[in-house]
Amino acid sequence: MSINQPQSKKVSYADYLTWPDEPRYEIIDGIPYLLAAPSRQHQDIVMNFAGEMYSFLKGSTCRVYTAPFDVRLSATVDNEEYQVVQPDISVVCEAGKLDEKGCKGAPDLIVEVLSPSTWQRDRIEKMNQYQKHNVKEYVIIYPNEKVLEQYVLDEHGKYQIPYIYKEGDVFNSHMFPEFTLKTSDLFS
């Protein structure tokens, strides 16, 4: 099956595993999406956030991963998995969700830094999948606006109205209440 031709069937994780490592793709609802290389600004923000989170979680059972890192949201068998994303940052606290391929199931925290080529997918399709698969905390970072949106899953499995953090504010994680990050440090 060619990944450049229209698909007559959903693409599964088993199909994805037969493709070359480059270029990178995500699969949402069985549809493959090509991922472009991120900008330097995007990478700086990812590294600033991930570095602070890594230092904070050092010595705990939680692990921090940056893209490329396969997250199979449905946690089903490979030929029936149609949700494979590569979040900019994933924090996984259940060791049983980790295998040699990445994460099988929802991470506890996902961070996406918006890019011109992915912002709609991150804000709509992926956000819906993260909510559906119970990602407890989802943070969207707007690099040009220097804004963070923090979505927290409520007891009904729905994301609450987001908390908004602007430059000069201090971000506070819901999943890790002692983790704080000055937005000015994030965007520096």
Side-chain angles (χ1 to χ4, degrees):
M1 169 172 27
S2 171
I3 54 180
N4 295 323
Q5 297 174 356
Q7 302 295 320
S8 59
K9 69 172 188 107
K10 285 184 170 184
V11 172
S12 72
Y13 187 61
D15 297 322
Y16 168 93
L17 291 174
T18 67
W19 301 344
D21 289 340
E22 293 294 331
R24 294 184 309 118
Y25 288 86
E26 291 182 311
I27 302 171
I28 301 172
D29 288 327
I31 301 168
Y33 293 93
L34 178 65
L35 297 175
S39 69
R40 186 179 61 80
Q41 175 193 33
H42 182 282
Q43 289 293 77
D44 286 342
I45 293 168
V46 168
M47 292 309 295
N48 288 344
F49 195 107
E52 292 293 325
M53 183 61 78
Y54 176 83
S55 294
F56 174 78
L57 293 173
K58 197 168 187 173
S60 79
T61 58
C62 299
R63 304 292 304 266
V64 180
Y65 297 95
T66 59
F69 180 72
D70 287 345
V71 174
R72 295 156 287 159
L73 289 169
S74 310
T76 187
V77 295
D78 291 354
N79 64 346
E80 294 176 6
E81 177 62 74
Y82 301 108
Q83 311 299 336
V84 184
V85 292
Q86 300 229 351
D88 290 316
I89 302 169
S90 301
V91 178
V92 182
C93 295
E94 294 177 49
K97 289 184 177 181
L98 297 171
D99 63 18
E100 291 306 310
K101 297 176 193 173
C103 181
K104 193 169 185 174
D108 297 280
L109 167 67
I110 286 180
V111 178
E112 295 281 12
V113 179
L114 298 186
S115 298
S117 63
T118 65
W119 72 270
Q120 282 187 303
R121 197 164 45 251
D122 291 340
R123 294 252 327 113
I124 300 169
E125 289 101 333
K126 288 170 76 174
M127 184 179 193
N128 289 337
Q129 291 301 322
Y130 295 160
Q131 179 177 269
K132 178 181 176 182
H133 294 285
N134 296 313
V135 173
K136 296 171 188 161
E137 184 173 2
Y138 179 39
V139 177
I140 301 173
I141 300 175
Y142 296 77
N144 295 334
E145 295 80 3
K146 298 185 174 167
V147 168
L148 282 79
E149 284 181 350
Q150 176 189 36
Y151 293 87
V152 177
L153 209 61
D154 67 17
E155 64 275 0
H156 306 290
K158 301 290 181 195
Y159 284 133
Q160 299 173 1
I161 295 172
Y163 298 95
I164 307 295
Y165 299 88
K166 299 176 186 157
E167 190 171 26
D169 291 342
V170 176
F171 170 78
N172 184 252
S173 172
H174 177 78
M175 282 297 306
F176 309 100
E178 286 97 40
F179 177 77
T180 59
L181 176 62
K182 292 179 184 176
T183 56
S184 54
D185 291 341
L186 179 65
F187 296 112
S188 65

